[in-house]
């Protein structure tokens, strides 16, 4: 068994990266930063200026803001200033009421908000907010993580390095050993992810959110195509939660590595499979921890935001969890990861939006297929593409493409999105 000190470090990391969030985390991070700057100002801002990294802009442009029926940053910023509380973190707007929404709409209409791209900013996750009222000004900056406040942009490099130095370095063997051997009481908290994200799937059925992908898969015509199967249930429950989140439902989800969609994708496929396969509670707990911790591990080298769609990362996690629930051991998990990397690598992130449910469906479908192939003893070999004999090297190949190789893709995607 892994020693107590290492287990405590991993548990601390999971608590840090698996947290509740309402709405897409990029506009919520901007709202959170605005709330902090407003608190520092001590009064209602007369003017708000925001400077954002390109990836924050990309992920905040086309997504619904929970409870507002509106899309994009201006309403998120206005509400962050008017009702946001920084202590709520990524649930910063949970005190929203119909009255405060109207006040937010009025604030937006008064042209008090300026949104700009932060020039020459290498950090992909960067939010800088200036609030002004009379002769008073205040500033708040979030960088490196969706809830990490720093003093100023000059301290960003030192702050990021400090976090990297403190964070435990994972590998897939350590992830697997921790998830499968840690005392159950130490990791039972991961079941909160099931409570949040499966509830989001149920709540989604009460409305028409996004592209209604989850509900469409559940309808008679789709059942005639997909069947009434574990596979279709996995897809529909995962897509439904994403539909609601991207469509602006006031439903909290449990995020992973700063992304609610990643949290959903790492949770719901595992929960649905475990229920229908009649796995025990212990098996579900360990599978959920394996799924979420695998996603956290991959994100350590990929970064919080990248040109690579986060569903690739989270689907790899859920494939590991499902493989474990099928009775798979470490070798099976390794095969599932390699099968995933051989298939989904290169899926671009073109911002957070309702259509994310389509990409999540592709990821989850591949997760199930990769798990099945693995249990049959099938694995993409190192003679094929970017897959390596060593599973951790295969993961590094994936993240190198996403973090470094797809930089030009990221720039082109943002240019296309802002030029429409």
């Amino acid at each position: 068994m892994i020693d107590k000190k290492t287990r405590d470090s991993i548990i601390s990391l999971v608590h840090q990266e698996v947290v509740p969030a309402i709405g897409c985390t990029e506009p919520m991070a901007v709202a959170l930063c605005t709330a902090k700057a407003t608190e520092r100002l001590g009064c209602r801002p007369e003017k708000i200026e925001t400077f954002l990294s390109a990836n924050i802009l990309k992920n905040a442009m086309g997504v619904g803001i929970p409870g507002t029926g509106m899309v994009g940053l201006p309403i998120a910023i206005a509400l962050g200033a008017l009702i946001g509380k920084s202590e709520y973190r990524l649930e910063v707007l949970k005190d929203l009421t119909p009255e405060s929404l109207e006040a937010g709409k009025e604030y937006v209409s008064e042209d008090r908000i300026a949104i700009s791209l932060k020039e020459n900013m290498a950090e992909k996750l960067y939010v800088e907010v200036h609030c002004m009222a009379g002769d008073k000004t205040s500033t708040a900056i979030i960088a490196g993580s969706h809830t990490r406040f720093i003093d100023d942009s000059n301290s960003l490099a030192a702050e990021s390095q400090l976090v990297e130095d403190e964070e435990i370095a994972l590998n897939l063997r350590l992830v697997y050993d921790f998830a499968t051997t840690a005392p159950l009481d130490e990791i039972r908290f991961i079941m909160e992810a099931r409570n949040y994200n499966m509830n989001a799937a149920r709540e989604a059925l009460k409305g028409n959110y996004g592209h209604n992908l989850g509900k469409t898969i559940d309808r008679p015509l789709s059942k005639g195509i997909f069947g009434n199967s574990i596979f279709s249930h996995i897809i529909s429950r995962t897509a439904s939660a994403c539909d609601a989140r991207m469509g602006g439902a006031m439903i909290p989800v449990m995020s992973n590595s700063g992304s609610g969609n990643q949290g959903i994708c790492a949770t719901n496929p595992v929960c649905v499979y475990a229920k229908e396969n009649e796995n025990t509670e212990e098996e579900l707990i360990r599978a959920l921890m394996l799924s979420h911790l695998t996603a956290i591990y991959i994100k350590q080298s990929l970064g919080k935001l990248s040109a690579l769609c986060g569903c690739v990362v989270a689907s790899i996690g859920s494939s590991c969890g499902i493989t474990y629930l099928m009775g798979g051991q470490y070798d099976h998990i390794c095969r599932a990861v390699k099968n995933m990397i051989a298939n989904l690598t290169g899926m671009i992130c073109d911002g957070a939006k309702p259509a994310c449910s389509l990409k999540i469906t592709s990821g989850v479908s591949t997760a199930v297929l990769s798990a099945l192939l693995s249990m049959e003893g099938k694995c993409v070999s190192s003679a094929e593409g970017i897959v390596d004999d060593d599973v951790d090297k295969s993961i590094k190949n994936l993240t190198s493409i996403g973090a470094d190789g797809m930089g030009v893709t990221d720039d082109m995607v943002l240019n296309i999105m802002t030029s429409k």
Side-chain angles (χ1 to χ4, degrees):
M1 183 180 289
I2 298 168
D3 65 86
K4 184 69 163 60
K5 182 179 178 182
T6 302
R7 296 203 312 272
D8 286 346
S9 295
I10 295 174
I11 289 167
S12 176
L13 176 61
V14 176
H15 277 302
Q16 175 185 311
E17 298 294 351
V18 181
V19 297
I22 294 178
C24 178
T25 49
E26 277 69 55
M28 289 306 105
V30 180
L32 173 62
C33 199
T34 305
K36 176 69 81 173
T38 300
E39 291 163 3
R40 290 175 176 173
L41 187 68
C43 63
R44 173 175 163 147
E46 297 170 359
K47 187 80 175 176
I48 302 173
E49 294 180 349
T50 64
F51 298 90
L52 311 174
S53 61
N55 284 74
I56 291 286
L57 271 176
K58 181 179 73 173
N59 278 352
M61 288 171 57
V63 70
I65 306 303
T68 68
M70 301 173 70
V71 169
L73 281 169
I75 190 64
I77 293 169
L79 293 174
L82 298 179
I83 61 139
K85 290 184 175 65
S86 62
E87 66 193 73
Y88 292 165
R89 303 182 74 193
L90 291 178
E91 295 180 285
V92 59
L93 301 184
K94 71 179 181 179
D95 288 343
L96 181 66
T97 63
E99 293 75 25
S100 57
L101 175 57
E102 289 307 311
K105 290 178 179 178
E106 183 178 349
Y107 194 95
V108 171
S109 70
E110 292 167 351
D111 200 27
R112 298 176 181 272
I113 299 169
I115 301 170
S116 304
L117 180 68
K118 180 71 174 181
E119 300 292 344
N120 302 315
M121 174 51 63
E123 171 59 52
K124 293 181 181 293
L125 200 166
Y126 183 86
V127 180
E128 181 180 329
V129 177
H130 301 275
C131 289
M132 290 142 279
D135 59 354
K136 296 169 62 178
T137 64
S138 67
T139 299
I141 297 174
I142 284 175
S145 177
H146 290 79
T147 58
R148 183 181 298 132
F149 288 96
I150 64 171
D151 292 333
D152 57 68
S153 56
N154 292 329
S155 68
L156 174 58
E159 178 80 10
S160 297
Q161 186 59 52
L162 178 63
V163 172
E164 288 176 8
D165 289 345
E166 291 177 347
E167 192 174 84
I168 184 169
L170 298 172
N171 57 65
L172 194 64
R173 182 83 229 193
L174 179 58
V175 167
Y176 174 82
D177 287 346
F178 173 81
T180 56
T181 66
L184 208 57
D185 286 344
E186 292 185 10
I187 62 172
R188 190 180 298 275
F189 68 88
I190 200 66
M191 289 288 275
E192 291 180 32
R194 180 195 67 169
N195 298 338
Y196 273 90
N197 295 348
M198 291 301 290
N199 182 63
R202 287 188 292 270
E203 289 294 316
L205 302 181
K206 298 177 182 179
N208 290 316
Y209 297 105
H211 297 294
N212 266 343
L213 180 58
K215 291 176 79 170
T216 298
I217 294 168
D218 264 344
R219 287 175 175 153
L221 176 61
S222 298
K223 287 183 178 178
I225 297 170
F226 289 107
N228 189 17
S229 63
I230 297 176
F231 181 64
S232 66
H233 297 164
I234 285 173
I235 296 173
S236 65
R237 302 301 181 270
T238 309
S240 290
C242 181
D243 284 333
R245 180 172 176 269
M246 294 289 95
M250 201 69 175
I251 301 171
V253 301
M254 191 67 82
S255 65
N256 182 299
S257 304
S259 167
N261 281 348
Q262 285 170 203
I264 290 167
C265 199
T267 303
N268 291 21
V270 176
C271 292
V272 173
Y273 187 86
K275 180 179 179 180
E276 302 211 15
N277 194 50
E278 298 183 349
N279 289 99
T280 65
E281 182 182 68
E282 176 176 350
E283 288 168 339
L284 173 57
I285 290 170
R286 296 195 182 283
L288 280 175
M289 182 57 72
L290 177 60
S291 178
H292 277 273
L293 194 55
T294 297
I296 292 168
Y297 161 44
I298 298 172
K299 278 285 184 172
Q300 282 187 330
S301 54
L302 180 63
K304 288 288 193 296
L305 298 176
S306 74
L308 185 70
C309 177
C311 88
V312 176
V313 175
S315 295
I316 293 174
S318 62
S319 188
C320 293
I322 290 170
T323 303
Y324 173 78
L325 292 172
M326 289 177 172
Q329 305 296 315
Y330 179 66
D331 287 347
H332 300 92
I333 304 297
C334 291
R335 289 200 292 265
V337 170
K338 292 178 185 179
N339 291 338
M340 291 293 293
I341 291 172
N343 191 333
L344 285 182
T345 298
M347 184 185 289
I348 64 167
C349 170
D350 53 344
K353 59 203 174 303
C356 286
S357 60
L358 291 163
K359 294 189 178 186
I360 277 183
T361 298
S362 297
V364 171
S365 300
T366 305
V368 177
L369 179 62
S370 295
L372 282 170
L373 281 173
S374 173
M375 294 305 293
E376 290 289 325
K378 304 296 183 182
C379 180
V380 175
S381 72
S382 59
E384 305 172 70
I386 66 167
V387 172
D388 192 274
D389 286 330
D390 181 89
V391 68
D392 293 295
K393 185 65 167 64
S394 297
I395 290 171
K396 185 63 177 175
N397 293 343
L398 167 73
T399 59
S400 294
I401 290 171
D404 303 321
M406 294 175 69
V408 174
T409 301
D410 219 14
D411 295 338
M412 182 174 289
V413 167
L414 182 67
N415 183 57
I416 290 170
M417 291 174 64
T418 55
S419 300
K420 289 192 293 185

